[in-house]
Amino acid sequence: MEIIRVPRIMQDTSKTFLLHGKTIGFVPTMGALHDGHLSLVRRAREENSITVVSIFVNPAQFGANEDFNIYPRDLEGDTEKLIKEKVDILFLPDASSIYPEGYLTYVNVEELSEKLCGAFRPGHFRGVTTIVAKLFNIVKPTRAYFGQKDFQQSVIISKMTYDLNMDIDIVVCPTVRDKDGLAMSSRNSYLDNSQRQAATIIYKCLKETSESIKSGIIEIKNVKRFMLDFLRKEPLISEIDYAGIYDISSLEELSAEKENMLLAIALRIGNTRLIDNMLINIKEERKY
Ligand code: AMP
């Protein structure tokens, strides 16, 4: 695996690959890699001739009071994992090469960036779309891979790609979970044992809500209340940012049933903010 740190060199390397008719599969990450990340890497490897992974903890997507400084970093472990996965290139830029002094340009997907997590993390998605647009220009991927775990992020990036005529396929891959259902996340390492146990309520809530909707036990207009009541049983949850059922494209809260719907949750256990979601397809599930 080659490690490239300089954007210009990454660009030239990608240009050469493309010139030789190769396809480039790209997985952008912030490191502290787990099986969720590696599932994207494997999919990229299957579908492309070259696989590029980036690790960059992007300061522009963290709020002033968020965890940028303590965000888990494990470059040695990450490098080992990526070599094992036979990744071709690890792109590892410095913050100063991505945001040099005098940097002024930001990409923002309006409206969608204000919904759900955007309402609680002002500027977060503007930081995400800016770094992803920059990484796309540097890596020049044929296909880019994102996790459903961050569903809103995948919707926003798909919209950015479409609106800006970027010639890149956005591939969204299923959420990888621990055995007890908790979605894998670099931030899970912040949790102590009892918090880690408490966090399993998130997936339980998604599953129970999804099953209750499919079997007709709860109506869409009562879903939010059902989820909040379910989550409030866990005393270690310090705050619920949101829980409810949403349109999969506009991310608007739903009051009536649609064929495809998104259940989504964001909450805090202690100071750790956790998110998860589940898609529901009513037609697929109800065979009548
Ligand atoms: P991050 O390093 O948290 O920015 O995540 C990098 C990519 O990995 C994003 O596209 C995430 O959605 C994806 N990802 C993170 N956790 C998971 C997971 N548990 N399952 C699938 N994809 C994930």
Side-chain angles (χ1 to χ4, degrees), residues 6 11 41 43 50 104 116 150 158 184 192 207 226 266:
V6 180
Q11 273 174 327
V41 172
R43 179 86 180 265
I50 299 291
L104 290 176
L116 298 175
D150 300 276
S158 300
M184 289 190 181
D192 66 24
K207 246 180 39 182
F226 180 89

Side-chain angles (χ1 to χ4, degrees), residues 28-30 34 36-37 40 71 146-147 149-150 153 174-176 184:
T29 81
M30 298 205 300
H34 49 66
H37 297 114
L40 309 187
Y71 194 83
F146 294 88
K149 155 86 182 2
D150 300 276
Q153 171 173 280
T175 302
V176 176
M184 289 190 181

